[in-house]
């Protein structure tokens, strides 16, 4: 593996502030379960599509005189767990850079509240890119993916645009080796022209956090390990389907992988169920679309919202049907989006 | 194993007509998957409660002059698959009895249409008892359970009242041995005073038959075998819970076993899902009941209806909550019911 050298101090001054933008992603082969909670090493490989919508923009400015970090989120000081995770992430960057200097992090997250899309993937991808530049880590895309992973596992994938696979790597190796081998990289899907329709539905009772749900599923569900094993075959099938730009196969594999993941949770003790009555109503509407000849496939994450993969040309029809099914909810449409990037600072 | 001798002909004349009554049962440890489709040998042991409601009454009368069987179901001639299954069952009885004589089977099934309770368990239990008597097979309860099994697996359990366990037996032995070792027997649950509230909800699109769903799950779901394995532990835990009359443990184990079974189906290819939006609304209402301190637990079979196990003293409250959740649906209440029995023919 390549080693990462801090950029010389002269360069650092020039990049003492950096702004990055990154987009959310939706996994078609799911990330569910960690083999190492501290290093954010996943139990299985996963594969996602980065979305064209809802970017997060994050500016990191070094603050040599400050005694602690300042974190601003959508214009307000971040507190609690949100602040703690960002400061811990900066600590990691500082350790790598060998520079203890504090920073001001200012994040604008455009994911609408309740859009059913976690902002942690775009958030930590943008933070990784901006902080790496500000602290002069000089990371390449793979290094940025590894770094982003330490903030939130799925952020490793948002470094890349289009489709990306995140490798579980070698979790049984020593920590350094394991850390080095778990990163995302792009997957070619030329010729595929998909859209993702996100149906935002009302949640039922308060949900279990995805972190808790993953842990409980791994610890108590007799169905977890077999799903993790079956997910390997799903990934191989998915790569082949993407390569031949076969949207129907991509959708079928994504749907079975997601339903399998939710099945492992249903068998956890106590059960974890993110599917609400409204989720099933949307899923039923998608099954009906398929019976009507429209290739459309569902995936779900740690919440009641349903994401529907379809051909871009079918977007309007799918969005219309899904909007009706998600009565009282809302619908967002995305296509494949770009990877994380630094904005020009104009210096 | 005991061998079954046909009753001498003298006796047969006296019992050339017989009427039996049997009740439906609901599995708390599920039967899902056959290791032998012809012999109705299950992949796993199961355990059920026979219900106090909706008996099936079946009269079998030998018809020495008839050239074929006549099957009447709720006053109308049975046709198609229903008739075929009953005639096949009679063929089996005739083969055992060494008597080719045809019969008239008249069945009155009191399960209301759409009550969410399959009538095949009570139906084949009643038919087994009546036909065994009419043809003079002279079977004891275990023999009747084995025989009923050949009509419908779960019928083996409706031979017994209260709680019954159905042994998978030794499916890998030769057919005769395997057949001989798969039967139900009663399980003591003295001190337990449960009720079962059946919430009948609207189905979504037409369902996959349980037979097809079982087969598909076994053949394609990577989660099936681990569930079958985990069901062994569930059964052991359930027996212990019944023995100490611990309704909360009985409910928890039943719920996890059922959710696990439905999870295996969700991961079948294509997925089989009997949970409808309305099912989840009822399940959510039961989870809320639990949070409110009422021990109530769900189980589901191959349909969208939800069965809720609770203490008999809580029946009214549970039925009221569930009835409201199953808006537009109906609710039935049962307590443990009797085993199959012959009615006095008055001769």
């Amino acid at each position: 593996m390549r080693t990462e050298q801090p950029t010389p101090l002269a360069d650092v001054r020039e990049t003492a502030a950096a702004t990055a933008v990154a987009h959310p992603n939706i996994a078609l082969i799911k990330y569910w379960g960690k083999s190492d909670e501290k290093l954010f090493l996943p139990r299985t490989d996963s594969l996602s599509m980065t979305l064209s919508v809802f970017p997060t923009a994050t500016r990191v400015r070094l603050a040599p005189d400050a005694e602690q970090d300042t974190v601003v989120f959508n214009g307000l000081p971040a507190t609690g767990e949100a602040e703690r995770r960002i400061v811990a992430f900066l600590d990691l960057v500082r350790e790598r850079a060998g520079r203890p200097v504090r920073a001001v992090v200012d994040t604008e997250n455009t994911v609408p509240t309740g859009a059913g899309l976690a902002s942690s993937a775009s958030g930590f991808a943008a933070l990784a890119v901006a902080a790496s530049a500000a602290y002069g880590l000089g990371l390449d895309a793979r290094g940025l993916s590894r770094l982003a992973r330490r903030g939130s596992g799925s952020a490793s994938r948002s470094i890349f645009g289009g489709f990306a696979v995140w490798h579980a790597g070698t979790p049984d190796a020593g920590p350094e080796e394991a850390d080095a081998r778990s990163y995302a990289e792009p997957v070619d899907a030329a010729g595929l022209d998909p859209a993702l329709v996100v149906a935002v539905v009302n949640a039922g009772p308060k949900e279990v956090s995805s972190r808790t749900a993953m842990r409980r599923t791994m610890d108590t569900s007799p169905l977890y390990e077999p799903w993790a094993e079956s997910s390997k075959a799903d990934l191989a099938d998915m790569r082949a389907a993407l390569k031949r730009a076969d949207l129907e196969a991509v959708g079928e594999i994504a749907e079975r992988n997601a339903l399998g993941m939710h099945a492992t949770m249903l068998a956890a003790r106590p059960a974890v169920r993110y599917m609400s009555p409204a989720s099933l109503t949307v899923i039923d509407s998608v099954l009906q679309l398929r019976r009507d000849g429209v290739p459309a496939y569902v995936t779900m994450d740690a919440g009641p919202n349903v994401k529907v993969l379809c051909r871009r040309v079918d977007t309007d029809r799918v969005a219309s049907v899904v909007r009706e099914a998600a009565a009282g909810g809302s619908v967002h449409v995305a296509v494949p989006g770009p990877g994380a990037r630094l904005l020009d600072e104009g210096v």
Side-chain angles (χ1 to χ4, degrees), chain A:
Chain A
M1 305 306 299
R2 66 187 293 281
T3 51
E4 290 140 14
Q5 298 295 342
T7 311
L9 196 59
D11 290 356
V12 171
R13 285 230 175 80
E14 288 169 27
T15 56
T19 304
V21 174
H23 288 67
N25 71 76
I26 294 294
L28 302 180
I29 301 293
K30 295 298 183 189
Y31 155 47
W32 193 250
K34 296 181 184 72
S35 60
D36 185 312
E37 304 237 347
K38 185 167 166 288
L39 292 175
F40 281 85
L41 297 175
R43 167 70 181 77
T44 59
D45 296 349
S46 55
L47 187 150
S48 60
M49 182 175 111
T50 298
L51 305 186
S52 57
V53 296
F54 307 140
T56 296
T58 296
R59 181 168 170 83
V60 175
R61 179 171 58 81
L62 302 192
D65 299 332
E67 291 190 357
Q68 48 189 344
D69 298 310
T70 300
V71 181
V72 175
F73 186 84
N74 285 2
L76 295 172
T79 56
E81 176 70 3
E83 183 190 24
R84 194 198 59 70
R85 282 177 74 180
I86 290 173
V87 170
F89 189 84
L90 292 174
D91 286 342
L92 180 67
V93 173
R94 281 188 279 261
E95 188 191 325
R96 293 209 184 167
R99 304 181 64 203
V101 60
R102 299 289 151 173
V104 176
V105 175
D106 192 347
T107 285
E108 194 69 26
N109 167 36
T110 68
V111 179
T113 304
L117 297 167
S119 57
S120 61
S122 54
F124 279 101
L127 180 62
V129 172
S132 169
Y135 280 89
L137 288 182
L139 299 178
D140 63 3
R142 179 173 298 181
L144 289 169
S145 176
R146 287 174 49 203
L147 179 61
R149 191 197 80 222
R150 299 290 295 272
S152 174
S154 56
S156 65
R157 298 183 309 237
S158 274
I159 296 296
F160 302 98
F163 293 84
V165 62
W166 170 24
H167 302 288
T170 52
D172 294 334
E176 276 189 43
E177 167 102 6
D179 175 56
R181 289 185 183 275
S182 182
Y183 50 82
E185 57 187 357
V187 172
D188 183 36
L192 197 72
D193 200 11
L196 195 87
V197 176
V198 181
V200 180
V201 302
N202 291 323
K206 184 168 165 24
E207 287 155 28
V208 179
S209 78
S210 63
R211 183 175 209 154
T212 301
M214 276 187 192
R215 188 71 263 159
R216 190 192 296 168
T217 304
M218 288 188 84
D219 289 348
T220 70
S221 173
L223 309 189
Y224 176 74
E225 275 301 321
W227 172 78
E229 278 305 306
S230 74
S231 195
K232 292 180 187 174
D234 287 347
L235 179 67
D237 292 348
M238 178 62 83
R239 280 172 164 282
L242 287 171
K243 197 166 190 172
R244 62 176 196 271
D246 181 344
L247 184 117
E248 298 188 23
V250 168
E252 270 179 25
I253 299 160
E255 186 171 294
R256 83 187 185 210
N257 188 266
L259 292 178
M261 177 182 87
H262 286 274
T264 67
M265 291 182 237
L266 209 53
R269 298 168 184 187
V272 178
R273 174 168 53 81
Y274 289 113
M275 283 179 279
S276 71
S279 312
L280 293 192
T281 300
V282 172
I283 292 176
D284 284 343
S285 78
V286 173
L287 296 178
Q288 186 58 47
L289 270 170
R290 281 225 290 277
R291 281 190 293 268
D292 294 343
V294 180
Y297 304 87
V298 301
T299 185
M300 285 182 69
D301 297 292
N305 301 304
V306 180
K307 290 98 175 186
V308 185
L309 187 78
C310 62
R311 297 183 302 200
R312 197 195 288 227
V313 295
D314 291 328
T315 309
D316 287 350
R317 180 163 179 195
V318 170
S320 157
V321 164
V322 162
R323 187 177 291 114
E324 191 170 336
S330 59
V331 164
H332 303 283
V333 175
V335 294
R341 67 182 182 95
L342 278 173
L343 296 189
D344 177 12
E345 288 285 317
V347 285

